[in-house]
Amino acid sequence: MSYIKFGMYEPQQEFIISDQENGNSMKHIYKFSNGYGASVIQSEYSYGHEDGLYELAVLKDGELCYDTPITGDIIGYLSADEVTEYLQRIEGLKEGE
């Protein structure tokens, strides 16, 4: 199973899923106590994969969420440092924000 550390970030809860069939894909699911979370992926279908970059989506109660102050869409072409910044911002959201 792959593991990628995003800077010095230590999430409250993290689930790591590797695509065993493809071997080149990875997916991290983060869940935070505020009800929000994030999906961070890198696969042949993600934005930026060809450059080793990541794609992030905000989750609310485990479902995709498109109406937060952070973003209204999926965010692609992210470096590991940028992923860290977004994870910290999502974890800091107030419940229901």
mmCIF file of all heavy atoms in Angstrom, residues 29-77:
data_model
loop_
_atom_site.group_PDB
_atom_site.id
_atom_site.type_symbol
_atom_site.label_atom_id
_atom_site.label_comp_id
_atom_site.label_asym_id
_atom_site.label_seq_id
_atom_site.Cartn_x
_atom_site.Cartn_y
_atom_site.Cartn_z
ATOM 1 N N ILE A 29 -8.217 9.316 1.842
ATOM 2 C CA ILE A 29 -9.472 9.883 2.328
ATOM 3 C C ILE A 29 -9.220 10.402 3.737
ATOM 4 O O ILE A 29 -8.741 9.656 4.596
ATOM 5 C CB ILE A 29 -10.606 8.830 2.378
ATOM 6 C CG1 ILE A 29 -10.854 8.230 0.997
ATOM 7 C CG2 ILE A 29 -11.879 9.440 2.959
ATOM 8 C CD1 ILE A 29 -11.428 9.181 -0.017
ATOM 9 N N TYR A 30 -9.516 11.659 3.966
ATOM 10 C CA TYR A 30 -9.360 12.285 5.276
ATOM 11 C C TYR A 30 -10.735 12.580 5.849
ATOM 12 O O TYR A 30 -11.625 13.017 5.123
ATOM 13 C CB TYR A 30 -8.584 13.599 5.150
ATOM 14 C CG TYR A 30 -7.186 13.409 4.635
ATOM 15 C CD1 TYR A 30 -6.917 13.407 3.272
ATOM 16 C CD2 TYR A 30 -6.127 13.226 5.515
ATOM 17 C CE1 TYR A 30 -5.632 13.226 2.798
ATOM 18 C CE2 TYR A 30 -4.841 13.045 5.051
ATOM 19 C CZ TYR A 30 -4.600 13.052 3.696
ATOM 20 O OH TYR A 30 -3.321 12.860 3.229
ATOM 21 N N LYS A 31 -10.904 12.346 7.150
ATOM 22 C CA LYS A 31 -12.148 12.675 7.848
ATOM 23 C C LYS A 31 -11.793 13.502 9.067
ATOM 24 O O LYS A 31 -10.892 13.135 9.823
ATOM 25 C CB LYS A 31 -12.873 11.403 8.285
ATOM 26 C CG LYS A 31 -13.377 10.578 7.135
ATOM 27 C CD LYS A 31 -14.147 9.373 7.630
ATOM 28 C CE LYS A 31 -14.682 8.580 6.452
ATOM 29 N NZ LYS A 31 -15.483 7.436 6.893
ATOM 30 N N PHE A 32 -12.519 14.608 9.248
ATOM 31 C CA PHE A 32 -12.251 15.511 10.357
ATOM 32 C C PHE A 32 -13.459 15.596 11.282
ATOM 33 O O PHE A 32 -14.587 15.320 10.877
ATOM 34 C CB PHE A 32 -11.883 16.902 9.831
ATOM 35 C CG PHE A 32 -10.734 16.887 8.858
ATOM 36 C CD1 PHE A 32 -10.905 17.322 7.562
ATOM 37 C CD2 PHE A 32 -9.491 16.416 9.241
ATOM 38 C CE1 PHE A 32 -9.856 17.304 6.659
ATOM 39 C CE2 PHE A 32 -8.430 16.389 8.351
ATOM 40 C CZ PHE A 32 -8.609 16.839 7.055
ATOM 41 N N SER A 33 -13.227 16.018 12.514
ATOM 42 C CA SER A 33 -14.292 16.075 13.521
ATOM 43 C C SER A 33 -15.365 17.105 13.194
ATOM 44 O O SER A 33 -16.463 17.042 13.738
ATOM 45 C CB SER A 33 -13.701 16.357 14.907
ATOM 46 O OG SER A 33 -13.025 17.594 14.906
ATOM 47 N N ASN A 34 -15.090 18.040 12.294
ATOM 48 C CA ASN A 34 -16.086 19.040 11.911
ATOM 49 C C ASN A 34 -17.077 18.517 10.861
ATOM 50 O O ASN A 34 -17.931 19.256 10.375
ATOM 51 C CB ASN A 34 -15.395 20.313 11.397
ATOM 52 C CG ASN A 34 -14.506 20.065 10.193
ATOM 53 O OD1 ASN A 34 -14.430 18.960 9.677
ATOM 54 N ND2 ASN A 34 -13.811 21.097 9.755
ATOM 55 N N GLY A 35 -16.966 17.244 10.500
ATOM 56 C CA GLY A 35 -17.869 16.653 9.509
ATOM 57 C C GLY A 35 -17.350 16.749 8.088
ATOM 58 O O GLY A 35 -17.895 16.135 7.180
ATOM 59 N N TYR A 36 -16.296 17.526 7.899
ATOM 60 C CA TYR A 36 -15.690 17.658 6.574
ATOM 61 C C TYR A 36 -14.566 16.656 6.406
ATOM 62 O O TYR A 36 -14.106 16.035 7.357
ATOM 63 C CB TYR A 36 -15.154 19.078 6.362
ATOM 64 C CG TYR A 36 -16.231 20.105 6.176
ATOM 65 C CD1 TYR A 36 -16.683 20.859 7.244
ATOM 66 C CD2 TYR A 36 -16.824 20.296 4.936
ATOM 67 C CE1 TYR A 36 -17.693 21.793 7.089
ATOM 68 C CE2 TYR A 36 -17.839 21.219 4.763
ATOM 69 C CZ TYR A 36 -18.265 21.974 5.839
ATOM 70 O OH TYR A 36 -19.268 22.887 5.667
ATOM 71 N N GLY A 37 -14.123 16.522 5.198
ATOM 72 C CA GLY A 37 -13.008 15.654 4.885
ATOM 73 C C GLY A 37 -12.476 16.002 3.514
ATOM 74 O O GLY A 37 -12.866 17.016 2.924
ATOM 75 N N ALA A 38 -11.610 15.169 3.010
ATOM 76 C CA ALA A 38 -11.035 15.409 1.692
ATOM 77 C C ALA A 38 -10.667 14.076 1.056
ATOM 78 O O ALA A 38 -10.340 13.106 1.740
ATOM 79 C CB ALA A 38 -9.806 16.291 1.785
ATOM 80 N N SER A 39 -10.743 14.066 -0.249
ATOM 81 C CA SER A 39 -10.256 12.962 -1.053
ATOM 82 C C SER A 39 -9.086 13.514 -1.861
ATOM 83 O O SER A 39 -9.238 14.521 -2.559
ATOM 84 C CB SER A 39 -11.356 12.464 -1.989
ATOM 85 O OG SER A 39 -10.825 11.576 -2.940
ATOM 86 N N VAL A 40 -7.933 12.886 -1.730
ATOM 87 C CA VAL A 40 -6.751 13.297 -2.491
ATOM 88 C C VAL A 40 -6.350 12.114 -3.348
ATOM 89 O O VAL A 40 -6.104 11.020 -2.828
ATOM 90 C CB VAL A 40 -5.585 13.701 -1.558
ATOM 91 C CG1 VAL A 40 -4.378 14.120 -2.380
ATOM 92 C CG2 VAL A 40 -6.006 14.823 -0.616
ATOM 93 N N ILE A 41 -6.319 12.329 -4.653
ATOM 94 C CA ILE A 41 -5.994 11.230 -5.560
ATOM 95 C C ILE A 41 -4.871 11.598 -6.511
ATOM 96 O O ILE A 41 -4.592 12.775 -6.759
ATOM 97 C CB ILE A 41 -7.217 10.751 -6.375
ATOM 98 C CG1 ILE A 41 -7.692 11.844 -7.342
ATOM 99 C CG2 ILE A 41 -8.340 10.303 -5.469
ATOM 100 C CD1 ILE A 41 -8.732 11.335 -8.345
ATOM 101 N N GLN A 42 -4.259 10.558 -7.017
ATOM 102 C CA GLN A 42 -3.297 10.679 -8.111
ATOM 103 C C GLN A 42 -3.468 9.413 -8.942
ATOM 104 O O GLN A 42 -3.202 8.307 -8.467
ATOM 105 C CB GLN A 42 -1.879 10.802 -7.577
ATOM 106 C CG GLN A 42 -0.861 11.083 -8.667
ATOM 107 C CD GLN A 42 0.540 11.176 -8.103
ATOM 108 O OE1 GLN A 42 1.075 10.173 -7.653
ATOM 109 N NE2 GLN A 42 1.095 12.363 -8.109
ATOM 110 N N SER A 43 -3.984 9.588 -10.138
ATOM 111 C CA SER A 43 -4.188 8.455 -11.043
ATOM 112 C C SER A 43 -4.139 8.970 -12.472
ATOM 113 O O SER A 43 -4.071 10.176 -12.697
ATOM 114 C CB SER A 43 -5.541 7.786 -10.779
ATOM 115 O OG SER A 43 -6.590 8.573 -11.301
ATOM 116 N N GLU A 44 -4.208 8.073 -13.397
ATOM 117 C CA GLU A 44 -4.156 8.486 -14.803
ATOM 118 C C GLU A 44 -5.333 9.371 -15.199
ATOM 119 O O GLU A 44 -5.311 10.009 -16.241
ATOM 120 C CB GLU A 44 -4.069 7.275 -15.725
ATOM 121 C CG GLU A 44 -5.290 6.385 -15.680
ATOM 122 C CD GLU A 44 -5.156 5.186 -16.591
ATOM 123 O OE1 GLU A 44 -4.954 5.360 -17.813
ATOM 124 O OE2 GLU A 44 -5.251 4.067 -16.069
ATOM 125 N N TYR A 45 -6.372 9.430 -14.361
ATOM 126 C CA TYR A 45 -7.548 10.238 -14.659
ATOM 127 C C TYR A 45 -7.599 11.544 -13.858
ATOM 128 O O TYR A 45 -8.512 12.336 -14.036
ATOM 129 C CB TYR A 45 -8.824 9.435 -14.380
ATOM 130 C CG TYR A 45 -8.854 8.138 -15.151
ATOM 131 C CD1 TYR A 45 -8.692 6.938 -14.493
ATOM 132 C CD2 TYR A 45 -9.011 8.128 -16.535
ATOM 133 C CE1 TYR A 45 -8.693 5.736 -15.195
ATOM 134 C CE2 TYR A 45 -9.007 6.941 -17.246
ATOM 135 C CZ TYR A 45 -8.852 5.750 -16.582
ATOM 136 O OH TYR A 45 -8.851 4.572 -17.284
ATOM 137 N N SER A 46 -6.643 11.775 -12.962
ATOM 138 C CA SER A 46 -6.674 12.987 -12.135
ATOM 139 C C SER A 46 -5.931 14.133 -12.812
ATOM 140 O O SER A 46 -5.008 13.917 -13.604
ATOM 141 C CB SER A 46 -6.077 12.705 -10.756
ATOM 142 O OG SER A 46 -4.718 12.318 -10.853
ATOM 143 N N TYR A 47 -6.360 15.341 -12.482
ATOM 144 C CA TYR A 47 -5.740 16.547 -13.034
ATOM 145 C C TYR A 47 -4.340 16.712 -12.463
ATOM 146 O O TYR A 47 -4.161 16.865 -11.274
ATOM 147 C CB TYR A 47 -6.568 17.784 -12.688
ATOM 148 C CG TYR A 47 -7.955 17.785 -13.266
ATOM 149 C CD1 TYR A 47 -9.063 17.776 -12.441
ATOM 150 C CD2 TYR A 47 -8.153 17.787 -14.643
ATOM 151 C CE1 TYR A 47 -10.346 17.773 -12.966
ATOM 152 C CE2 TYR A 47 -9.426 17.778 -15.182
ATOM 153 C CZ TYR A 47 -10.522 17.778 -14.335
ATOM 154 O OH TYR A 47 -11.781 17.765 -14.861
ATOM 155 N N GLY A 48 -3.335 16.660 -13.330
ATOM 156 C CA GLY A 48 -1.949 16.876 -12.930
ATOM 157 C C GLY A 48 -1.132 15.617 -12.751
ATOM 158 O O GLY A 48 0.060 15.687 -12.464
ATOM 159 N N HIS A 49 -1.759 14.450 -12.917
ATOM 160 C CA HIS A 49 -1.035 13.202 -12.672
ATOM 161 C C HIS A 49 0.219 13.070 -13.522
ATOM 162 O O HIS A 49 1.224 12.545 -13.077
ATOM 163 C CB HIS A 49 -1.949 11.987 -12.902
ATOM 164 C CG HIS A 49 -2.149 11.681 -14.344
ATOM 165 N ND1 HIS A 49 -3.081 12.339 -15.114
ATOM 166 C CD2 HIS A 49 -1.509 10.810 -15.160
ATOM 167 C CE1 HIS A 49 -3.015 11.874 -16.343
ATOM 168 N NE2 HIS A 49 -2.088 10.951 -16.405
ATOM 169 N N GLU A 50 0.155 13.572 -14.745
ATOM 170 C CA GLU A 50 1.293 13.428 -15.654
ATOM 171 C C GLU A 50 2.531 14.176 -15.153
ATOM 172 O O GLU A 50 3.640 13.884 -15.564
ATOM 173 C CB GLU A 50 0.920 13.885 -17.076
ATOM 174 C CG GLU A 50 0.554 15.353 -17.197
ATOM 175 C CD GLU A 50 -0.877 15.690 -16.790
ATOM 176 O OE1 GLU A 50 -1.709 14.789 -16.606
ATOM 177 O OE2 GLU A 50 -1.164 16.882 -16.651
ATOM 178 N N ASP A 51 2.330 15.118 -14.233
ATOM 179 C CA ASP A 51 3.439 15.877 -13.647
ATOM 180 C C ASP A 51 3.697 15.475 -12.194
ATOM 181 O O ASP A 51 4.402 16.178 -11.474
ATOM 182 C CB ASP A 51 3.132 17.384 -13.720
ATOM 183 C CG ASP A 51 3.022 17.873 -15.154
ATOM 184 O OD1 ASP A 51 3.844 17.462 -15.996
ATOM 185 O OD2 ASP A 51 2.101 18.664 -15.433
ATOM 186 N N GLY A 52 3.076 14.376 -11.740
ATOM 187 C CA GLY A 52 3.259 13.928 -10.366
ATOM 188 C C GLY A 52 2.486 14.755 -9.357
ATOM 189 O O GLY A 52 2.814 14.765 -8.173
ATOM 190 N N LEU A 53 1.436 15.448 -9.821
ATOM 191 C CA LEU A 53 0.645 16.321 -8.958
ATOM 192 C C LEU A 53 -0.640 15.618 -8.524
ATOM 193 O O LEU A 53 -0.960 14.535 -8.996
ATOM 194 C CB LEU A 53 0.344 17.629 -9.680
ATOM 195 C CG LEU A 53 1.588 18.425 -10.094
ATOM 196 C CD1 LEU A 53 1.201 19.630 -10.938
ATOM 197 C CD2 LEU A 53 2.400 18.839 -8.886
ATOM 198 N N TYR A 54 -1.387 16.261 -7.635
ATOM 199 C CA TYR A 54 -2.551 15.659 -6.999
ATOM 200 C C TYR A 54 -3.834 16.414 -7.303
ATOM 201 O O TYR A 54 -3.805 17.585 -7.679
ATOM 202 C CB TYR A 54 -2.361 15.625 -5.475
ATOM 203 C CG TYR A 54 -1.118 14.892 -5.076
ATOM 204 C CD1 TYR A 54 0.077 15.566 -4.889
ATOM 205 C CD2 TYR A 54 -1.133 13.516 -4.922
ATOM 206 C CE1 TYR A 54 1.235 14.887 -4.542
ATOM 207 C CE2 TYR A 54 0.016 12.828 -4.580
ATOM 208 C CZ TYR A 54 1.198 13.518 -4.388
ATOM 209 O OH TYR A 54 2.335 12.846 -4.058
ATOM 210 N N GLU A 55 -4.946 15.722 -7.081
ATOM 211 C CA GLU A 55 -6.276 16.291 -7.222
ATOM 212 C C GLU A 55 -6.979 16.143 -5.872
ATOM 213 O O GLU A 55 -6.888 15.092 -5.241
ATOM 214 C CB GLU A 55 -7.025 15.530 -8.310
ATOM 215 C CG GLU A 55 -8.422 15.998 -8.568
ATOM 216 C CD GLU A 55 -9.087 15.165 -9.653
ATOM 217 O OE1 GLU A 55 -8.614 15.201 -10.807
ATOM 218 O OE2 GLU A 55 -10.054 14.457 -9.341
ATOM 219 N N LEU A 56 -7.661 17.194 -5.437
ATOM 220 C CA LEU A 56 -8.321 17.198 -4.133
ATOM 221 C C LEU A 56 -9.787 17.564 -4.292
ATOM 222 O O LEU A 56 -10.134 18.459 -5.070
ATOM 223 C CB LEU A 56 -7.627 18.213 -3.217
ATOM 224 C CG LEU A 56 -8.190 18.385 -1.812
ATOM 225 C CD1 LEU A 56 -7.047 18.602 -0.823
ATOM 226 C CD2 LEU A 56 -9.155 19.546 -1.729
ATOM 227 N N ALA A 57 -10.632 16.866 -3.533
ATOM 228 C CA ALA A 57 -12.053 17.188 -3.471
ATOM 229 C C ALA A 57 -12.446 17.306 -2.006
ATOM 230 O O ALA A 57 -12.000 16.513 -1.172
ATOM 231 C CB ALA A 57 -12.889 16.109 -4.148
ATOM 232 N N VAL A 58 -13.271 18.288 -1.691
ATOM 233 C CA VAL A 58 -13.777 18.461 -0.335
ATOM 234 C C VAL A 58 -14.948 17.507 -0.131
ATOM 235 O O VAL A 58 -15.790 17.346 -1.019
ATOM 236 C CB VAL A 58 -14.227 19.921 -0.089
ATOM 237 C CG1 VAL A 58 -14.832 20.076 1.305
ATOM 238 C CG2 VAL A 58 -13.063 20.884 -0.287
ATOM 239 N N LEU A 59 -15.000 16.879 1.029
ATOM 240 C CA LEU A 59 -16.091 15.974 1.392
ATOM 241 C C LEU A 59 -16.846 16.533 2.589
ATOM 242 O O LEU A 59 -16.264 17.198 3.440
ATOM 243 C CB LEU A 59 -15.544 14.601 1.769
ATOM 244 C CG LEU A 59 -14.648 13.889 0.753
ATOM 245 C CD1 LEU A 59 -14.112 12.597 1.332
ATOM 246 C CD2 LEU A 59 -15.399 13.634 -0.541
ATOM 247 N N LYS A 60 -18.140 16.275 2.644
ATOM 248 C CA LYS A 60 -18.974 16.594 3.813
ATOM 249 C C LYS A 60 -19.752 15.335 4.140
ATOM 250 O O LYS A 60 -20.485 14.814 3.285
ATOM 251 C CB LYS A 60 -19.915 17.772 3.511
ATOM 252 C CG LYS A 60 -20.872 18.102 4.639
ATOM 253 C CD LYS A 60 -20.157 18.656 5.848
ATOM 254 C CE LYS A 60 -21.178 19.093 6.894
ATOM 255 N NZ LYS A 60 -20.621 19.121 8.223
ATOM 256 N N ASP A 61 -19.552 14.828 5.344
ATOM 257 C CA ASP A 61 -20.184 13.575 5.756
ATOM 258 C C ASP A 61 -19.927 12.458 4.744
ATOM 259 O O ASP A 61 -20.811 11.676 4.421
ATOM 260 C CB ASP A 61 -21.683 13.775 5.984
ATOM 261 C CG ASP A 61 -21.956 14.803 7.075
ATOM 262 O OD1 ASP A 61 -21.208 14.808 8.072
ATOM 263 O OD2 ASP A 61 -22.900 15.593 6.916
ATOM 264 N N GLY A 62 -18.716 12.428 4.198
ATOM 265 C CA GLY A 62 -18.301 11.374 3.283
ATOM 266 C C GLY A 62 -18.706 11.541 1.837
ATOM 267 O O GLY A 62 -18.365 10.727 0.998
ATOM 268 N N GLU A 63 -19.433 12.608 1.529
ATOM 269 C CA GLU A 63 -19.899 12.859 0.154
ATOM 270 C C GLU A 63 -19.192 14.095 -0.420
ATOM 271 O O GLU A 63 -18.820 15.003 0.322
ATOM 272 C CB GLU A 63 -21.408 13.106 0.143
ATOM 273 C CG GLU A 63 -22.227 11.955 0.707
ATOM 274 C CD GLU A 63 -22.183 10.716 -0.163
ATOM 275 O OE1 GLU A 63 -22.096 10.848 -1.394
ATOM 276 O OE2 GLU A 63 -22.227 9.608 0.399
ATOM 277 N N LEU A 64 -19.066 14.138 -1.749
ATOM 278 C CA LEU A 64 -18.481 15.319 -2.384
ATOM 279 C C LEU A 64 -19.276 16.563 -2.007
ATOM 280 O O LEU A 64 -20.506 16.532 -1.980
ATOM 281 C CB LEU A 64 -18.461 15.166 -3.902
ATOM 282 C CG LEU A 64 -17.480 14.131 -4.451
ATOM 283 C CD1 LEU A 64 -17.672 13.980 -5.951
ATOM 284 C CD2 LEU A 64 -16.050 14.517 -4.141
ATOM 285 N N CYS A 65 -18.572 17.644 -1.743
ATOM 286 C CA CYS A 65 -19.196 18.893 -1.311
ATOM 287 C C CYS A 65 -18.678 20.022 -2.194
ATOM 288 O O CYS A 65 -17.473 20.261 -2.261
ATOM 289 C CB CYS A 65 -18.859 19.154 0.157
ATOM 290 S SG CYS A 65 -19.581 20.664 0.804
ATOM 291 N N TYR A 66 -19.590 20.704 -2.854
ATOM 292 C CA TYR A 66 -19.212 21.756 -3.802
ATOM 293 C C TYR A 66 -19.591 23.152 -3.328
ATOM 294 O O TYR A 66 -19.601 24.087 -4.126
ATOM 295 C CB TYR A 66 -19.863 21.483 -5.162
ATOM 296 C CG TYR A 66 -19.381 20.209 -5.805
ATOM 297 C CD1 TYR A 66 -20.203 19.089 -5.870
ATOM 298 C CD2 TYR A 66 -18.110 20.117 -6.341
ATOM 299 C CE1 TYR A 66 -19.772 17.916 -6.462
ATOM 300 C CE2 TYR A 66 -17.662 18.947 -6.934
ATOM 301 C CZ TYR A 66 -18.499 17.857 -6.991
ATOM 302 O OH TYR A 66 -18.062 16.698 -7.575
ATOM 303 N N ASP A 67 -19.908 23.324 -2.044
ATOM 304 C CA ASP A 67 -20.322 24.651 -1.583
ATOM 305 C C ASP A 67 -19.651 25.037 -0.260
ATOM 306 O O ASP A 67 -20.305 25.296 0.722
ATOM 307 C CB ASP A 67 -21.844 24.741 -1.468
ATOM 308 C CG ASP A 67 -22.422 23.747 -0.469
ATOM 309 O OD1 ASP A 67 -21.672 22.881 0.028
ATOM 310 O OD2 ASP A 67 -23.620 23.839 -0.190
ATOM 311 N N THR A 68 -18.321 25.065 -0.272
ATOM 312 C CA THR A 68 -17.575 25.523 0.894
ATOM 313 C C THR A 68 -16.858 26.822 0.538
ATOM 314 O O THR A 68 -16.686 27.134 -0.646
ATOM 315 C CB THR A 68 -16.511 24.495 1.332
ATOM 316 O OG1 THR A 68 -15.496 24.421 0.327
ATOM 317 C CG2 THR A 68 -17.121 23.126 1.574
ATOM 318 N N PRO A 69 -16.414 27.566 1.534
ATOM 319 C CA PRO A 69 -15.624 28.773 1.251
ATOM 320 C C PRO A 69 -14.278 28.437 0.593
ATOM 321 O O PRO A 69 -13.634 29.311 0.022
ATOM 322 C CB PRO A 69 -15.393 29.388 2.628
ATOM 323 C CG PRO A 69 -16.343 28.735 3.554
ATOM 324 C CD PRO A 69 -16.698 27.415 2.960
ATOM 325 N N ILE A 70 -13.885 27.186 0.652
ATOM 326 C CA ILE A 70 -12.590 26.788 0.103
ATOM 327 C C ILE A 70 -12.655 26.618 -1.407
ATOM 328 O O ILE A 70 -11.808 27.108 -2.141
ATOM 329 C CB ILE A 70 -12.095 25.498 0.784
ATOM 330 C CG1 ILE A 70 -11.795 25.817 2.249
ATOM 331 C CG2 ILE A 70 -10.877 24.926 0.074
ATOM 332 C CD1 ILE A 70 -11.497 24.651 3.108
ATOM 333 N N THR A 71 -13.679 25.927 -1.886
ATOM 334 C CA THR A 71 -13.821 25.717 -3.324
ATOM 335 C C THR A 71 -15.228 25.227 -3.647
ATOM 336 O O THR A 71 -15.897 24.649 -2.798
ATOM 337 C CB THR A 71 -12.785 24.704 -3.866
ATOM 338 O OG1 THR A 71 -12.893 24.627 -5.292
ATOM 339 C CG2 THR A 71 -12.961 23.334 -3.272
ATOM 340 N N GLY A 72 -15.637 25.430 -4.859
ATOM 341 C CA GLY A 72 -16.912 24.940 -5.341
ATOM 342 C C GLY A 72 -16.732 23.835 -6.365
ATOM 343 O O GLY A 72 -17.661 23.502 -7.091
ATOM 344 N N ASP A 73 -15.508 23.273 -6.432
ATOM 345 C CA ASP A 73 -15.221 22.261 -7.437
ATOM 346 C C ASP A 73 -14.049 21.406 -6.962
ATOM 347 O O ASP A 73 -13.494 21.631 -5.893
ATOM 348 C CB ASP A 73 -14.877 22.932 -8.769
ATOM 349 C CG ASP A 73 -15.099 22.024 -9.969
ATOM 350 O OD1 ASP A 73 -15.377 20.830 -9.787
ATOM 351 O OD2 ASP A 73 -14.983 22.521 -11.102
ATOM 352 N N ILE A 74 -13.649 20.485 -7.780
ATOM 353 C CA ILE A 74 -12.447 19.699 -7.533
ATOM 354 C C ILE A 74 -11.250 20.583 -7.877
ATOM 355 O O ILE A 74 -11.296 21.370 -8.815
ATOM 356 C CB ILE A 74 -12.473 18.422 -8.396
ATOM 357 C CG1 ILE A 74 -13.591 17.497 -7.912
ATOM 358 C CG2 ILE A 74 -11.123 17.720 -8.396
ATOM 359 C CD1 ILE A 74 -13.878 16.349 -8.833
ATOM 360 N N ILE A 75 -10.170 20.435 -7.122
ATOM 361 C CA ILE A 75 -8.967 21.231 -7.357
ATOM 362 C C ILE A 75 -7.863 20.301 -7.838
ATOM 363 O O ILE A 75 -7.501 19.347 -7.146
ATOM 364 C CB ILE A 75 -8.511 21.930 -6.066
ATOM 365 C CG1 ILE A 75 -9.650 22.734 -5.453
ATOM 366 C CG2 ILE A 75 -7.311 22.837 -6.353
ATOM 367 C CD1 ILE A 75 -9.376 23.178 -4.039
ATOM 368 N N GLY A 76 -7.345 20.554 -9.014
ATOM 369 C CA GLY A 76 -6.288 19.723 -9.577
ATOM 370 C C GLY A 76 -4.960 20.440 -9.633
ATOM 371 O O GLY A 76 -4.840 21.601 -9.242
ATOM 372 N N TYR A 77 -3.961 19.720 -10.087
ATOM 373 C CA TYR A 77 -2.617 20.251 -10.307
ATOM 374 C C TYR A 77 -1.987 20.782 -9.023
ATOM 375 O O TYR A 77 -1.356 21.832 -9.013
ATOM 376 C CB TYR A 77 -2.641 21.343 -11.385
ATOM 377 C CG TYR A 77 -3.243 20.874 -12.682
ATOM 378 C CD1 TYR A 77 -4.580 21.138 -12.987
ATOM 379 C CD2 TYR A 77 -2.493 20.129 -13.588
ATOM 380 C CE1 TYR A 77 -5.148 20.684 -14.165
ATOM 381 C CE2 TYR A 77 -3.060 19.684 -14.770
ATOM 382 C CZ TYR A 77 -4.379 19.965 -15.053
ATOM 383 O OH TYR A 77 -4.940 19.514 -16.222
#
